[in-house]
Amino acid sequence: MTTEIHLAQQPEADELLGRSPLAALVGMLLDQQVPMEWAFSGPYTIAQRLGADDLDAGQIAAYDPEAFGALLSEKPAVHRYPGSMAKRVQQLCQFLVDEYGGDAEAVWADAKSGKELLARLKALPGFGVQKAQIFLALLGKQYGVRPEGWREAAGSYGDQGSYRSAADITGPESLAKVRAFKQETKRAAKAAKAANDSKSSGN
């Protein structure tokens, strides 16, 4: 797997995401409550701090949890919540070691259908339905992993020409479009909540 990726908007970090299945999974795991570029540059930062040119699931799973937490907390921190995300990264790596022999690519390599792949992604620690669908769309749109029915399994994130998630980011312009979509979604959700609240208070 070697593909041109622009999620971190940083050449070295994106190069790692393009060649390392585990880096791509860890980036997706980190992609919450921080800007996308920060999340997806995390795997490169972790690899650098481990003195390696790639992430190794076995090494991370076996790492002393306190030391790994400290590694992610070093300035600049890998995430807004480095301690809890360090635990999640280790849980993900341990799962990959237990279920896939430490090979992240094995999660999708032989999936026969989009439905099967979605089920596998949802089984990963830290991957809810939404995160699993976004990663499935990312695999299909940018990594060429396209089992039958992958777009349908990815839901609206699989739509062609959409700008909803990390799956659609191929450069600064598409990043801006995805950011605008997310802000609009948040605004609409807030407006709907306010309308509901005023209804329930009898106004």
Side-chain angles (χ1 to χ4, degrees):
M1 164 172 131
T2 306
T3 190
E4 196 177 317
I5 295 295
H6 297 280
L7 292 169
Q9 306 279 300
Q10 185 194 335
E12 301 88 349
D14 280 325
E15 189 271 333
L16 177 63
L17 293 169
R19 66 178 162 83
S20 167
L22 181 55
L25 269 183
V26 170
M28 190 73 235
L29 180 72
L30 295 171
D31 185 21
Q32 58 192 63
Q33 297 172 299
V34 294
M36 255 176 290
E37 313 92 290
W38 185 2
F40 281 99
S41 59
Y44 178 71
T45 306
I46 295 169
Q48 273 200 313
R49 289 177 186 175
L50 288 169
D53 69 351
D54 194 359
L55 300 180
D56 180 298
Q59 180 193 17
I60 292 171
Y63 216 85
D64 175 71
E66 219 167 281
F68 193 67
L71 195 85
L72 269 67
S73 303
E74 272 176 43
K75 297 275 186 281
V78 165
H79 194 274
R80 184 173 289 147
Y81 305 107
S84 62
M85 291 318 281
K87 283 195 191 89
R88 288 188 179 198
V89 171
Q90 285 196 292
Q91 284 166 354
L92 173 66
C93 288
Q94 187 62 61
F95 183 87
L96 292 171
V97 168
D98 294 343
E99 300 295 324
Y100 294 100
D103 178 8
E105 194 171 9
V107 175
W108 55 84
D110 62 349
K112 301 287 184 290
S113 66
K115 201 173 167 186
E116 182 188 343
L117 179 47
L118 182 63
R120 289 184 185 190
L121 292 169
K122 275 163 47 183
L124 297 172
F127 277 67
V129 178
Q130 187 185 37
K131 199 180 275 290
Q133 285 190 314
I134 291 171
F135 194 74
L136 175 49
L138 177 63
L139 285 173
K141 289 179 175 183
Q142 299 202 41
Y143 288 96
V145 177
R146 296 170 185 148
E148 197 179 333
W150 71 271
R151 281 192 193 275
E152 292 76 8
S156 55
Y157 299 109
D159 292 351
Q160 203 158 2
S162 65
Y163 291 97
R164 290 173 180 271
S165 72
D168 305 305
I169 294 169
T170 53
E173 196 183 313
S174 47
L175 174 64
K177 286 182 183 178
V178 169
R179 196 153 274 154
F181 173 82
K182 289 190 166 199
Q183 282 163 351
E184 178 53 34
T185 306
K186 266 188 194 158
R187 194 196 60 71
K190 264 190 193 158
K193 186 181 183 302
N196 277 342
D197 288 351
S198 76
K199 255 189 212 161
S200 58
S201 62
N203 292 336

